[in-house]
Amino acid sequence: MQAALRRRFGGARWALRVPEGAPRPRCLGPGSAPAPRCWSCGSRLPGAEGLPHFCPGCRALQPPGPRPDLFRLMDCERSFRVDAQQLQRRFRSLQRALHPDRFGRRPPKEQHYSQQHSSLINKAYQTLLNPLSRGLYLLELNGVEPAQETDCDADSVFLMEIMEINEKLAEPKNEDILEEIETLIKDDLQEAKKLLAKMKYFSNLEDKLKNKKIPS
């Protein structure tokens, strides 16, 4: 058991699978999409797509973007490291401004949009606050699909180790075993952070390569 537990997360690359031809998120250039307009008065709407905002003309609440960037929404850099206190302050600020309680006397459409914003803000906060969901979301943004537990290409040795750990956790409490498992998990999380950092650099290199291949 102890020998199996001491296997490191370095072989966890099985969990990162880049689908062939997977689309990568890109910023749209000028003129690539029509400027959004207010649903209420028809005014042009400034600001970045995906950020909650009000119409500058009639102050009507606008709907969330179709695929908002959760990092951008919560005013965070696209990184595995986030400032939890800053994230919480942003969460509270957005909820104060967009919570459905503030729109009880507004038109039904705005009430509906407020509910959508509130749900999205909760999702963004929980996703970025939890290290695992944050890392998986970073993979998603970069077009990398995490392997599923049932994938046939998963590392069978690694899965057996996970099963052994679960069996140990189901046994009567043993402080020594719990301490050993806790230490190994912390080490594995550090290795996962390193993999995500490397992924960011390779993602930037891939973008540069694609730009080089574009005919001038």
Side-chain angles (χ1 to χ4, degrees), residues 145-176:
E145 179 184 353
Q148 302 299 315
E149 294 181 0
T150 56
D151 281 358
C152 59
D153 60 344
D155 188 334
S156 59
V157 176
F158 177 82
L159 295 180
M160 286 296 297
E161 292 172 5
I162 297 299
M163 291 176 61
E164 290 182 19
I165 293 175
N166 281 321
E167 290 174 358
K168 288 295 181 181
L169 291 175
E171 294 176 359
K173 188 175 181 180
N174 183 312
E175 293 293 343
D176 292 337

Side-chain angles (χ1 to χ4, degrees), residues 68-131:
D69 183 325
L70 302 187
F71 283 97
R72 199 173 194 176
L73 172 65
M74 303 306 290
D75 199 22
C76 296
E77 293 185 5
R78 279 193 184 185
S79 170
F80 189 79
R81 294 182 178 181
V82 298
D83 186 327
Q85 293 184 341
Q86 178 184 343
L87 182 65
Q88 187 179 63
R89 288 194 296 268
R90 175 66 171 172
F91 168 74
R92 291 176 175 174
S93 174
L94 289 174
Q95 286 291 26
R96 280 196 300 268
L98 298 164
H99 195 274
D101 289 347
R102 297 178 57 89
F103 294 84
R105 297 185 179 181
R106 299 295 295 174
K109 183 170 285 191
E110 282 190 83
Q111 294 179 30
H112 177 63
Y113 291 155
S114 174
Q115 292 172 357
Q116 289 183 321
H117 278 297
S118 183
S119 176
L120 175 61
I121 294 165
N122 284 327
K123 174 187 174 183
Y125 179 67
Q126 295 300 330
T127 298
L128 301 188
L129 185 63
N130 181 276

